[in-house]
Amino acid sequence: MKYMTVPWSQQIQQRYQCVLAEDLCEWFDSGIWKHADDGCGQRFLQAVAPQDLLEPAPQAIWPALMPCDLLPIISNGLGDYLCMRMGPDNSIREYVHWYHGGGDWIPWGKTLAEALLFDSIRQNLPGGQRDHAFAAAIEHTLLADDVHPIDRWTRQWLKNKHGVTLGDRKGHEIANTVLELGIAEAAVRCQLCIAALENPLLHELDDPHWRMIPPDQRQRYLFDCGLLPGAVIESIPMEPSDLCAAQDWDAVAANCEQVTNQRDDLAWAWDLWGYSFERLGLQKRAIDCYRRSLRCSIFTDQTVRVRTHTFVKEGQKFSATRLMQLEYQSNDTSEQAYLQCLACPKPDERRKLVREYFSDLAASANGSDAHDYWVKAGWDLGAEPMTAYGDLLTKIETTAAEAGRMALSAIAQTHRQCFKDRYGL
């Protein structure tokens, strides 16, 4: 049998022309993945078998919806996946939570063990009530580290690598501990932002005047209670000073600044930081943040979790909406052309225009730039029509190989085969 001649990790590295980190090799070769066989909705505990990843078209891949630099490793049993995200140097860049309900993703750590550790503690973090897996309808039960083998494995990794144990820490204490260790920082800081914006008094208010407000408008007020009109405030039997006391926009700004200091590709961080400036009347600084967010994929905006979704139309970037609201006009002709694409009122036409915009840039570029633009053509806003992904994946495969990004080329080729098998295109 081919699958039994060499270790799984070596076969996967050969299949995808990549280099796997030590913890992922151990995951496959020691058989620890076999213990991840009981995904319960809120936890990622249903492994993708290594032999499945060796197939020409792995069933776990969602072609077109899933970015073509991702390989799924573990599912929550409801369609979401914990995926390895391949880097241009043919090694794994990070692990991300990919949401099947819209294609969004958020980084959970640089290693598999780090991502699994975050999965095991996230319900104990601030902001945990607005969980990552919205599709889950199963009541979450935190599995103790002395119960599940996956939790024991990740905590042993933490102890071996950092010489510490988390014990029974919760809330900000556990958040501060993992941040000090540099573990899952973007994911933890996103949780802290959500917690800083949470307003339990308003969210749980049982008042007829509050309930009569349209749901989308209520979500806006929950995002920023400073938007509450005077008439609404007067109708609610609560002191005005108490309504907004729970929100801490300074903490939001501080966490977003930390994230953007480390990486520039997460729209949610630029969006929230920009809005924190906008609400203070600092328009220039807000615009600077929104322009940085424009360069990020819409699939990194975490819009439902951070409640920016009520400000945008279907398939629109929050940053583009705010820039248009602020009547921003760019002196950069390329940026202005892109903004004009985003200003299109029809979602499908807007996605088509954005695809064509980046396709034109890719066609006139070379090497890694061409590869990056082709990826943006598919996953900056999502491509229209759906059939376009066949040609896009082929071009991504080719240009990645030409740029020496062999692992990304191999993964794109696999996504292309999945797209063909799934849709006949």
Side-chain angles (χ1 to χ4, degrees), residues 17-21 85-94 407-408:
Q17 303 181 57
C18 65
V19 178
L20 302 184
R85 184 179 179 221
M86 194 60 63
D89 62 351
N90 302 317
S91 66
I92 297 171
R93 172 183 295 182
E94 61 189 354
L408 287 169

Side-chain angles (χ1 to χ4, degrees), residues 222-327:
L222 287 169
F223 172 71
D224 179 8
C225 62
L227 298 176
L228 281 164
V232 174
I233 293 175
E234 292 174 3
S235 69
I236 297 175
M238 190 179 297
E239 288 295 323
S241 59
D242 293 337
L243 284 175
C244 297
Q247 286 196 318
D248 187 349
W249 276 97
D250 289 340
V252 172
N255 280 294
C256 291
E257 183 176 12
Q258 288 293 324
V259 172
T260 57
N261 282 341
Q262 295 191 18
R263 57 191 301 162
D264 61 2
D265 62 340
L266 299 178
W268 66 263
W270 291 114
D271 289 344
L272 292 180
W273 198 17
Y275 189 84
S276 74
F277 288 126
E278 185 181 350
R279 69 193 302 275
L280 294 176
L282 301 174
Q283 183 170 315
K284 185 179 184 302
R285 296 202 66 180
I287 287 173
D288 288 342
C289 288
Y290 293 148
R291 290 181 66 196
R292 297 296 295 271
S293 180
L294 277 183
R295 306 171 195 173
C296 304
S297 168
I298 194 173
F299 301 109
T300 65
D301 62 12
Q302 293 293 291
T303 182
V304 174
R305 295 182 64 229
V306 300
R307 290 197 171 99
T308 53
H309 63 293
T310 60
F311 291 81
V312 300
K313 297 178 181 179
E314 178 191 345
Q316 180 59 288
K317 292 186 175 184
F318 177 80
S319 53
T321 298
R322 300 318 300 161
L323 288 170
M324 286 184 267
Q325 182 70 28
L326 295 171
E327 299 182 343

Side-chain angles (χ1 to χ4, degrees), residues 97-108:
H97 173 184
W98 177 80
Y99 303 75
H100 79 286
D104 282 13
W105 59 267
I106 185 171
W108 271 15

Side-chain angles (χ1 to χ4, degrees), residues 91-350:
S91 66
I92 297 171
R93 172 183 295 182
E94 61 189 354
Y95 290 81
V96 306
H97 173 184
W98 177 80
Y99 303 75
H100 79 286
D104 282 13
W105 59 267
I106 185 171
W108 271 15
K110 299 180 183 68
T111 67
L112 176 63
E114 186 177 328
L116 288 172
L117 179 69
F118 176 76
D119 184 41
S120 71
I121 65 172
R122 59 194 168 105
Q123 286 296 314
N124 285 340
L125 291 168
Q129 67 276 13
R130 290 186 64 74
D131 193 80
H132 293 251
F134 274 99
I138 302 173
E139 183 70 20
H140 171 74
T141 302
L142 184 65
L143 300 178
D145 61 353
D146 62 346
V147 172
H148 203 284
I150 302 301
D151 290 326
R152 287 201 298 270
W153 183 69
T154 56
R155 281 160 173 72
Q156 187 62 47
W157 168 84
L158 177 68
K159 185 176 181 180
N160 293 343
K161 184 176 178 65
H162 297 287
V164 299
T165 57
L166 294 179
D168 58 356
R169 295 180 178 91
K170 293 183 179 181
H172 284 278
E173 184 182 8
I174 193 171
N176 291 335
T177 298
V178 293
L179 287 177
E180 288 172 4
L181 297 172
I183 293 173
E185 182 162 355
V188 173
R189 292 196 183 279
C190 186
Q191 296 274 126
L192 292 175
C193 286
I194 291 169
L197 294 177
E198 194 65 26
N199 193 334
L201 289 176
L202 201 57
H203 185 257
E204 299 169 8
L205 182 63
D206 185 17
D207 178 78
H209 296 94
W210 174 249
R211 291 197 303 270
M212 287 174 63
I213 298 173
D216 283 354
Q217 197 64 47
R218 285 205 305 269
Q219 289 295 314
R220 287 196 182 195
Y221 299 154
L222 287 169
F223 172 71
D224 179 8
C225 62
L227 298 176
L228 281 164
V232 174
I233 293 175
E234 292 174 3
S235 69
I236 297 175
M238 190 179 297
E239 288 295 323
S241 59
D242 293 337
L243 284 175
C244 297
Q247 286 196 318
D248 187 349
W249 276 97
D250 289 340
V252 172
N255 280 294
C256 291
E257 183 176 12
Q258 288 293 324
V259 172
T260 57
N261 282 341
Q262 295 191 18
R263 57 191 301 162
D264 61 2
D265 62 340
L266 299 178
W268 66 263
W270 291 114
D271 289 344
L272 292 180
W273 198 17
Y275 189 84
S276 74
F277 288 126
E278 185 181 350
R279 69 193 302 275
L280 294 176
L282 301 174
Q283 183 170 315
K284 185 179 184 302
R285 296 202 66 180
I287 287 173
D288 288 342
C289 288
Y290 293 148
R291 290 181 66 196
R292 297 296 295 271
S293 180
L294 277 183
R295 306 171 195 173
C296 304
S297 168
I298 194 173
F299 301 109
T300 65
D301 62 12
Q302 293 293 291
T303 182
V304 174
R305 295 182 64 229
V306 300
R307 290 197 171 99
T308 53
H309 63 293
T310 60
F311 291 81
V312 300
K313 297 178 181 179
E314 178 191 345
Q316 180 59 288
K317 292 186 175 184
F318 177 80
S319 53
T321 298
R322 300 318 300 161
L323 288 170
M324 286 184 267
Q325 182 70 28
L326 295 171
E327 299 182 343
Y328 170 73
Q329 295 288 318
S330 179
N331 294 323
D332 183 312
T333 55
S334 180
E335 182 182 61
Q336 188 59 35
Y338 177 58
L339 279 169
Q340 289 174 350
C341 294
L342 292 174
C344 178
K346 296 181 179 180
D348 53 348
E349 182 66 19
R350 187 188 312 130

Side-chain angles (χ1 to χ4, degrees), residues 398-412:
T398 301
T399 53
E402 291 172 351
R405 300 173 170 182
M406 304 313 297
L408 287 169
S409 178
I411 294 175

